[in-house]
Amino acid sequence: MRRTTPPRPLDVTAVFPELAPMAHQAIRLHPRPGSPTPHDSSAGGPLLWPADEPWPHCDESHEWHDEQEDEWHEGPNPMLPVVQLYVRDVPLLQPPGQADLLQVLWCPFEHEPDYKPPTALFWRSAAHVTDVLATPPGPSAVEYDEYVPEPCVLAPEQVTEYPHHMELSEELQQKLGDWSRWQAAGAGVDSSYAPCPKSFYTDELSVAPGWKVAGCPPWGLTDPVARLCTICCAKMKPLLTIASYEWDGSNHGWVPYEDQALAAVARSGVANSPRVQISKGNHLQLYVCPESSDHPHTDLIQ
Ligand SMILES: [Zn+2]
Ligand SMILES: [Zn+2]
């Protein structure tokens, strides 16, 4: 499977050269319905999990009702696979040591105090997994079905991004809002953005929407806040963005060529193949410490 993002309507660094050093590489994952195996990169697919390694559980409090026994239970909840990424498919990953596989799981509950699903992150070396766990436990309880991803295969694609406008200096933000600067660029400028030029940058030129690795984080729910490692205080790096949709009405320029026909069909669902909703239409960003993979990751809803 291949997905190809159309080229940006113009080279934004030709209009604003000060953006050039702020370019970041991201890998869009483009999850689409499929039947991944443990040997594939996937969203919501089976993990290459060693048979002799305990399955991760969420230790927060859960209660669920067993319909057959008409009983209430409480206890830890087996976590669910969210993504599995092989470095061969997603070369921007920077695994520690000999690892070549990243696995992310979560608990399908919005736990207090931040009302987000707790995530667990594992790096491993695929060659060391000789005996794969055949039947991993499913969650005992699910608070929201929107946190149970539909199995999807991935079509990783590297793109260039520029920071969200809220991360730019006041001066540069003002320049982005000056339509005459855009007009001077000529071809490629979408005149429908004349009343709000900054939206042209936001929607079409800066942050790629959808599930992705690395790149520039989306903001908007809050102002940008640096994520600092709780162990060493280093500024953490965006590892993974889990999105509620890959595009909406505002950013159709990012729809891959291969999906454009289906994207035009109402309710095709292709913009959200994993059918995940993060806190009702937001993103869950995972960050890691650049100094050590032993330092805990963190996450944030935006
Ligand atoms: Zn939980
Ligand atoms: Zn650290």
Side-chain angles (χ1 to χ4, degrees), residues 58 60 62 77 107 109 111 118:
C58 172
E60 302 282 334
H62 312 86
N77 202 19
C107 173
F109 273 72
H111 286 298

Side-chain angles (χ1 to χ4, degrees), residues 19-174:
L19 282 169
M22 300 183 212
H24 285 74
Q25 297 301 302
I27 293 190
R28 306 186 76 193
L29 296 177
H30 301 307
R32 297 292 182 272
S35 304
T37 75
H39 304 284
D40 299 316
S41 294
S42 62
L47 303 182
L48 189 82
W49 194 268
D52 59 355
E53 187 174 312
W55 188 258
H57 283 64
C58 172
D59 293 325
E60 302 282 334
S61 88
H62 312 86
E63 283 188 346
W64 65 94
H65 187 249
D66 187 320
E67 301 289 343
Q68 285 177 346
E69 297 173 26
D70 196 28
E71 275 179 355
W72 281 91
H73 300 269
E74 61 177 10
N77 202 19
M79 294 180 107
L80 267 172
V82 182
V83 286
Q84 165 166 284
L85 302 173
Y86 285 89
V87 172
R88 61 167 195 258
D89 297 325
V90 188
L92 281 185
L93 288 170
Q94 294 174 318
Q98 299 296 306
D100 58 1
L101 175 59
L102 171 67
Q103 297 169 328
V104 178
L105 301 90
W106 66 22
C107 173
F109 273 72
E110 290 182 354
H111 286 298
E112 295 178 28
D114 297 321
Y115 298 97
K116 62 190 178 193
T119 52
L121 188 155
F122 298 86
W123 291 104
R124 65 175 79 251
S125 185
H128 293 169
V129 186
T130 46
D131 204 0
V132 181
L133 181 64
T135 48
S140 303
V142 172
E143 185 182 25
Y144 295 109
D145 289 337
E146 292 83 357
Y147 289 115
V148 182
E150 292 287 323
C152 285
V153 291
L154 305 179
E157 178 202 20
Q158 189 160 337
V159 296
T160 301
E161 296 187 313
Y162 297 91
H164 190 275
H165 72 83
M166 292 167 85
E167 290 203 71
L168 303 176
S169 69
E170 195 81 5
E171 185 193 357
L172 189 46
Q173 289 195 43
Q174 281 185 359

Side-chain angles (χ1 to χ4, degrees), residues 9-20 162 181-182 184-187 205:
L10 58 79
D11 175 7
V12 72
T13 62
V15 192
F16 303 99
E18 52 272 68
L19 282 169
Y162 297 91
R181 287 179 184 269
W182 292 101
L205 302 170

